[in-house]
Amino acid sequence: MPVNGANNTQRKRNREAADWILRNGNPSQSPEERARFKEWLEHDPENCRTYSAAERLMGDARRAIQSDPALTNIEVRPQSMAKPIAATMVVAALATGAFFALDGPLYLEADMIAGTDEMPVRTLEDGSVVQLNASSAIAVDFTEERRVIRLLHGQAFFQVAHAPERPFTVVAGEAKVTALGTAFDVRYGHDDTEVTVTENTVQIEFDEQRAGAVRVTQGEQAVYDYANAETVVSPVDGLVALAWKRGQIAVDNAPLSYVVEEMNRHFYGRIVVAGSALANRRVSGTIKVADTDDALAFVTMALGVKTTRLGPLIVIRR
């Protein structure tokens, strides 16, 4: 799947359109910035078409959030807060961020996207094979010298075609994972990046100011914690680590927030946890995250919690 100059130009235009969507939503936007926006629109007819497409996507996201009357009656009472969060505030916040919450920028920038009910497999132009987890996205930048995949969101498994003259690198946030003739999995999470190697070896490099390079071999998993800028490498069962390919996760003393993050990949709305204390409660077991009802039943039984459904929103609470 070669990425030529035209594709790079369009991706740049897509990012600019997403940026202008956010700027134009600022009520205190200056006249100078509005003038720059007009210049950008008039610079190229494609700019106008791309911005219009981004506006439609944003509008669809906002309408999806506001379409359910039940949302207007939500009251979530996190344990750590003295006052309830009114639904109007929730809806307003979600509507403001809807373009991002529904992965709008990914649709503008990505070359391959998996929806909530998809885990697609694709063969790239070099013969490498990639499988995306649900709600994941990648951008592909191949040249004659290098093969670079940017994991924009979610998780992906790579089987890399042997071509040592063209290094194969996956970029996930601060982590750059370079294959040394291998198969490996990368999960780009909210709190950490996980790299699991099922064949041969990879080298992981980070922002030079935060961490050094790490080599991870077959049967090992490296977890890079964003908050502490630390990497822990440990043995892992490949079948357990890749349970997501069967719509499951196998966790041992994992925080509820992690489980909910994986459940949200397969859910069309949004699942939230009321309060940080509950989000940090620990869960162990094999969970069918692709089946939201089954996963919620597991969580409620394991932790003794309750769930409230309000349209596209599910709240897990005490």
Side-chain angles (χ1 to χ4, degrees), residues 105-143:
L106 300 186
Y107 285 95
L108 293 174
E109 187 175 355
D111 294 304
M112 182 178 175
I113 294 175
T116 55
D117 57 352
E118 301 174 319
M119 289 188 284
V121 179
R122 179 177 295 179
T123 300
L124 305 180
E125 59 90 4
D126 69 327
S128 297
V129 177
V130 57
Q131 180 173 2
L132 296 188
N133 198 350
S135 300
S136 300
I138 61 171
V140 182
D141 292 299
F142 279 11
T143 67

Side-chain angles (χ1 to χ4, degrees), residues 220-279:
E220 291 183 333
Q221 181 182 77
V223 179
Y224 174 59
D225 181 86
Y226 305 147
N228 300 318
E230 293 179 349
T231 304
V232 176
V233 180
S234 58
V236 69
D237 184 330
L239 290 176
V240 172
L242 300 181
W244 66 264
K245 299 173 78 172
R246 305 186 296 276
Q248 303 174 333
I249 59 169
V251 292
D252 181 15
N253 201 37
L256 177 59
S257 58
Y258 176 94
V259 175
V260 168
E261 182 180 349
E262 294 305 307
M263 291 167 61
N264 271 320
R265 297 191 194 283
H266 300 270
F267 183 58
Y268 283 98
R270 183 60 49 185
I271 304 169
V272 298
V273 182
S276 58
L278 182 55

Side-chain angles (χ1 to χ4, degrees), residues 159-317:
Q159 292 177 295
V160 181
H162 185 67
E165 72 283 1
R166 294 175 71 198
F168 188 103
T169 300
V170 176
V171 179
E174 296 180 355
K176 296 181 179 180
V177 186
T178 300
L180 305 177
T182 190
F184 62 99
D185 181 84
V186 182
R187 178 186 179 275
Y188 185 19
H190 292 314
D191 302 314
D192 55 35
T193 295
E194 298 176 358
V195 179
T196 304
V197 180
T198 58
E199 293 179 18
N200 296 330
T201 306
V202 302
Q203 177 167 296
I204 310 174
E205 298 174 288
F206 305 91
D207 185 315
E208 62 182 5
Q209 296 180 352
R210 302 200 69 181
V214 176
R215 282 208 171 197
V216 186
T217 60
Q218 181 174 329
E220 291 183 333
Q221 181 182 77
V223 179
Y224 174 59
D225 181 86
Y226 305 147
N228 300 318
E230 293 179 349
T231 304
V232 176
V233 180
S234 58
V236 69
D237 184 330
L239 290 176
V240 172
L242 300 181
W244 66 264
K245 299 173 78 172
R246 305 186 296 276
Q248 303 174 333
I249 59 169
V251 292
D252 181 15
N253 201 37
L256 177 59
S257 58
Y258 176 94
V259 175
V260 168
E261 182 180 349
E262 294 305 307
M263 291 167 61
N264 271 320
R265 297 191 194 283
H266 300 270
F267 183 58
Y268 283 98
R270 183 60 49 185
I271 304 169
V272 298
V273 182
S276 58
L278 182 55
N280 289 323
R281 289 278 301 278
R282 299 286 159 165
V283 183
S284 298
T286 299
I287 305 171
K288 298 178 182 178
V289 288
D291 184 334
T292 300
D293 289 337
D294 189 272
L296 287 172
F298 181 97
V299 168
T300 55
M301 181 176 294
L303 297 180
V305 296
K306 299 177 181 179
T307 61
T308 299
R309 291 176 180 261
L310 294 147
L313 180 68
I314 296 177
V315 180
I316 299 176
R317 57 190 177 82

